[in-house]
Amino acid sequence: MTGGPEHARDKPDAVFHPEVQRDKKSTPTIAVAFGGGGARGLAHIHIVEALDELGVTPVRIAGASIGAIVGAGMAAGMRGEEIREHTFSTLGRKAAVAHRLWSLRPPSMRAAMGRGFRLGQFDLERILRVFLPAQIPGSFGALPIPLHVSATDYYGQREVCLDTGDLFPALAASAAIPALFMPVTVNGRIMIDGGVFNPVPYEHLMPHADIVIGVDVVGAPEGDGTHVPNRVDSLFGAGQLMMQAAIAMKLRLEPPHIFLRPSVNRFRVLDFLKARQVLSESAGIKDELKRALDAEFERRVRA
């Protein structure tokens, strides 16, 4: 897996979208797709910050799983610095996390004992309402920037792109990792993690912007090739490999103009308490994005 940006101009079979072609002297429009990957997706904050520093506001945003959550913050008008500060204030301290989780406890001991503990019983929508910033509104229609949220229709065996109606159920559905969180019902359908079908949903943006950025934080197993993974690592690692296979196929068919992979492989999907480490180790992606955008702008001026 490569770590740097890839460009559609290097791919001769890139799909041409005439509906977004404009005067070459005008400022190109930009859209960004944030991929799924659990705590590794905190690296998306760098992408938001880089665009802020360049004075770029995306015309559209797409996201899967954690990418949909970070994307919702950006679509709501939050700057990267605000998202970073909120992340540190909620996830950077164990006491703050414990306090918020305590607010989600069952209303009574009878309720807790009646349900018992079952893996995958956690209601992600309730968790998101406790942890996400107040700036994120309750509906797609209240977002200043259009947002496309990728979820998986479990029984329909397909991807669903959610972009209207209530926002929090859509975000919960998109991030409902199987075996960790309960599936979410949206529009009468049972939904699970959007990354199952589409880990980096950039293709939804291709008809709508001149330059589309895709950011992959799925990661992949790392090791010396001889160490036997434990059961949990092998389960999540197998999921990573399947999602990377899907991404590789998408890149062959229709790559985005810029494709980025932050350095997040060593982190696990639930390493949210390592927010500072994730951001520290993936900081280089900011300059990668800026260089890639500079190159893309220059290419368009010369064309």
Side-chain angles (χ1 to χ4, degrees):
M1 186 188 308
T2 59
E6 302 174 16
H7 304 272
R9 62 178 179 275
D10 301 324
K11 312 277 186 175
D13 56 348
V15 175
F16 179 69
H17 290 282
E19 61 268 41
V20 298
Q21 302 305 309
R22 297 175 177 82
D23 181 349
K24 295 183 179 64
K25 294 182 180 179
S26 65
T27 302
T29 56
I30 293 174
V32 58
F34 298 109
R40 295 183 291 269
L42 296 176
H44 290 317
I45 294 172
H46 290 306
I47 304 301
V48 183
E49 290 178 332
L51 294 175
D52 289 341
E53 291 166 11
L54 293 171
V56 172
T57 300
V59 293
R60 285 177 187 262
I61 298 169
S65 200
I66 185 66
I69 294 169
V70 175
M74 189 180 198
M78 294 182 69
R79 294 178 58 82
E81 183 180 4
E82 293 177 280
I83 299 174
R84 177 189 288 262
E85 290 175 355
H86 180 81
T87 299
F88 287 163
S89 67
T90 55
L91 299 176
R93 294 175 298 153
K94 290 184 179 180
V97 173
H99 175 74
R100 288 173 184 259
L101 290 175
W102 178 251
S103 71
L104 295 170
R105 68 191 185 281
S108 67
M109 183 61 70
R110 175 178 295 179
M113 296 301 291
R115 287 193 304 228
F117 177 81
R118 297 189 304 274
L119 187 63
Q121 74 171 358
F122 301 108
D123 184 335
L124 185 54
E125 184 178 346
R126 290 188 65 209
I127 294 173
L128 293 180
R129 290 186 184 277
V130 168
F131 278 89
L132 292 190
Q135 292 94 319
I136 297 180
S139 68
F140 281 94
L143 294 170
I145 301 173
L147 174 68
H148 302 272
V149 172
S150 176
T152 298
D153 184 328
Y154 183 77
Y155 291 108
Q157 304 168 29
R158 64 188 180 94
E159 179 194 15
V160 175
C161 184
L162 304 169
D163 54 16
T164 60
D166 293 335
L167 180 57
F168 276 82
L171 296 178
S174 183
I177 299 173
L180 290 178
F181 301 111
M182 294 187 298
V184 180
T185 301
V186 179
N187 299 328
R189 304 292 300 179
I190 301 299
M191 305 285 181
I192 61 171
D193 194 327
V196 171
F197 251 78
N198 197 347
V200 190
Y202 62 80
E203 66 273 24
H204 298 302
L205 304 175
M206 297 298 280
H208 301 292
D210 298 306
I211 300 173
V212 173
I213 303 164
V215 188
D216 170 23
V217 292
V218 167
E222 285 192 336
D224 60 8
T226 62
H227 176 73
V228 178
N230 61 40
R231 286 178 293 179
V232 174
D233 285 344
S234 63
L235 175 65
F236 283 106
Q240 287 177 299
L241 294 174
M242 288 187 286
M243 286 188 279
Q244 288 296 351
I247 292 170
M249 178 66 72
K250 277 165 36 107
L251 291 175
R252 286 195 292 269
L253 293 173
E254 183 184 16
H257 304 90
I258 296 171
F259 190 73
L260 302 167
R261 282 187 169 121
S263 299
V264 292
N265 278 5
R266 82 173 187 87
F267 296 101
R268 296 179 176 179
V269 69
L270 294 179
D271 276 346
F272 286 101
L273 289 174
K274 297 181 179 179
R276 295 181 187 276
Q277 293 97 310
V278 172
L279 285 167
S280 176
E281 294 196 19
S282 59
I285 203 66
K286 288 179 69 173
D287 287 337
E288 286 188 35
L289 174 57
K290 291 177 181 179
R291 288 194 297 268
L293 281 172
D294 282 344
E296 193 67 30
F297 289 152
E298 184 177 348
R299 183 186 72 83
R300 288 168 182 272
V301 169
R302 292 199 308 263

